[in-house]
Amino acid sequence: MKIISDVNELKTYLKTQNETRGFVPTMGALHDGHLSLIKEAKKACDFVVVSIFVNPTQFLAGEDLDKYPSRNDADIKICALAGVDVVFLPQKHNIYGHDEVSLKAPNVRGFVLEGATRPGHFDGVLTVVNKLFNIVNPDYAYFGKKDAQQLNLIALMVKQLFLDVKIVAVDTVRESDGLALSSRNIYLSKEERKEALKISLSLYEASKMLQKKIYDAKEIKVEMSKILEPLEIGYIEILNRDFEMIEQVEIGNTIILVEALVGTTRLLDNIWL
Ligand code: AMP
């Protein structure tokens, strides 16, 4: 496995490889969620690149950029064991200059949910993913359904900028009690870890209601918010796969999304129906 930080070195090395190329972009502190993306990439591709880069432009002032977990040595071991071919581990100066060209998230889909509370976040995400796609030039790129809005916007960017990469969506990996894995879970105290479980429980409640054929979005949201109490709810939304609000759940075309604050940690989760 090669570990490369320099963009030109990576591009030159990749020119010598003409196998099907899979790409898994990450911000590191790898867990089984990331590993599941890597495994999917390994299944479909002969050559797999993982990037580890805590992208500063997607953090707003006052967010956790400075304390975001960094475990490069452990991450590199995980990648080696998983059969990754290249870990791209750039520094900020390898990716960004000054007076930068940047992408803007779309005005509607980019400014609801996460985009509403974190204006500019998705500009940073799209800018860095576009840069990474241009550097790695993958055939397939793997993203988690856990970050549903991110996945949706990246798929939109690929379509609208006519990029030559196929986006693959990977199911959310959870702890055995249901909590969605996230690099930010390490911020949780023991007490908060218990409280955080309310997020996946609220989604479980929604799926129980659907089993009882209750499809009304308002009714479902009310029950979910009861379960989430006393957490501060960022949003509970019921959307179709195009990220439009819907009043009735349409099985096969719905995502139910939750964001809640546990202590000072903002956690996301969702289910795809
Ligand atoms: P991050 O390092 O948090 O930027 O995540 C890198 C990729 O891993 C993104 O595509 C995430 O959606 C995905 N990911 C994060 N957590 C999970 C999870 N629990 N299950 C599946 N994919 C995940």
Side-chain angles (χ1 to χ4, degrees):
M1 185 178 81
K2 273 195 167 286
I3 301 161
I4 300 178
S5 299
D6 183 75
V7 171
N8 287 329
E9 185 185 338
L10 178 61
K11 281 188 154 198
T12 306
Y13 179 61
L14 291 176
K15 275 192 191 129
T16 66
Q17 309 292 332
N18 50 14
E19 299 156 305
T20 308
R21 187 175 304 157
F23 177 41
V24 181
T26 81
M27 298 208 301
L30 301 184
H31 51 63
D32 283 352
H34 298 111
L35 200 55
S36 136
L37 269 57
I38 295 171
K39 281 185 185 152
E40 286 301 313
K42 286 287 296 177
K43 260 194 248 164
C45 307
D46 311 307
F47 192 90
V48 173
V49 179
V50 172
S51 66
I52 298 174
F53 179 57
V54 181
N55 173 40
T57 63
Q58 70 189 67
F59 288 79
L60 271 64
E63 291 190 343
D64 57 343
L65 173 62
D66 294 334
K67 64 167 187 164
Y68 197 85
S70 169
R71 295 198 220 112
N72 287 349
D73 292 346
D75 290 350
I76 287 166
K77 277 186 200 141
I78 290 170
C79 288
L81 285 172
V84 169
D85 297 281
V86 175
V87 175
F88 178 44
L89 194 65
Q91 308 260 312
K92 185 180 169 196
H93 71 85
N94 297 114
I95 299 292
Y96 291 107
H98 21 247
D99 202 16
E100 277 271 318
V101 171
S102 67
L103 283 177
K104 285 264 165 239
N107 286 331
V108 179
R109 272 190 252 190
F111 287 86
V112 292
L113 309 175
E114 287 298 288
T117 46
R118 306 178 73 192
H121 167 68
F122 287 119
D123 299 351
V125 170
L126 295 178
T127 299
V128 80
V129 171
N130 189 40
K131 281 177 184 260
L132 291 169
F133 282 173
N134 289 330
I135 295 165
V136 175
N137 195 17
D139 299 293
Y140 296 87
Y142 294 79
F143 292 89
K145 289 185 180 176
K146 177 172 168 287
D147 297 288
Q149 191 175 11
Q150 167 175 286
L151 171 62
N152 181 277
L153 292 173
I154 289 167
L156 190 68
M157 172 179 79
V158 165
K159 187 170 166 223
Q160 293 183 340
L161 298 188
F162 307 103
L163 302 182
D164 228 352
V165 51
K166 194 166 178 327
I167 301 299
V168 185
V170 181
D171 287 339
T172 300
V173 178
R174 300 174 177 281
E175 304 273 12
S176 54
D177 61 5
L179 181 72
L181 294 186
S182 161
S183 304
R184 289 190 166 102
N185 288 352
I186 61 152
Y187 297 152
L188 301 172
S189 68
K190 231 177 169 183
E191 222 22 69
E192 289 169 348
R193 170 68 181 73
K194 269 191 223 153
E195 285 289 285
L197 213 52
K198 290 185 169 155
I199 297 173
S200 53
L201 280 176
S202 72
L203 290 165
Y204 181 58
E205 177 63 26
S207 57
K208 279 200 296 195
M209 291 177 79
L210 295 172
Q211 277 164 22
K212 290 186 209 146
K213 305 213 180 312
I214 302 168
Y215 297 121
D216 184 73
K218 259 193 209 151
E219 247 180 275
I220 295 171
K221 283 191 204 176
V222 168
E223 292 310 312
M224 288 177 68
S225 56
K226 283 185 198 160
I227 301 214
L228 287 162
E229 264 171 39
L231 296 181
E232 185 184 323
I233 299 169
Y235 55 76
I236 303 172
E237 289 300 351
I238 301 187
L239 306 177
N240 65 20
R241 299 276 167 97
D242 289 323
F243 261 68
E244 295 156 339
M245 311 272 173
I246 48 176
E247 286 174 13
Q248 296 286 314
V249 170
E250 303 157 20
I251 300 295
N253 186 29
T254 299
I255 312 175
I256 305 184
L257 308 98
V258 184
E259 184 212 77
L261 204 65
V262 184
T264 55
T265 308
R266 183 196 302 277
L267 295 178
L268 306 182
D269 201 352
N270 59 61
I271 45 171
W272 295 47
L273 304 156

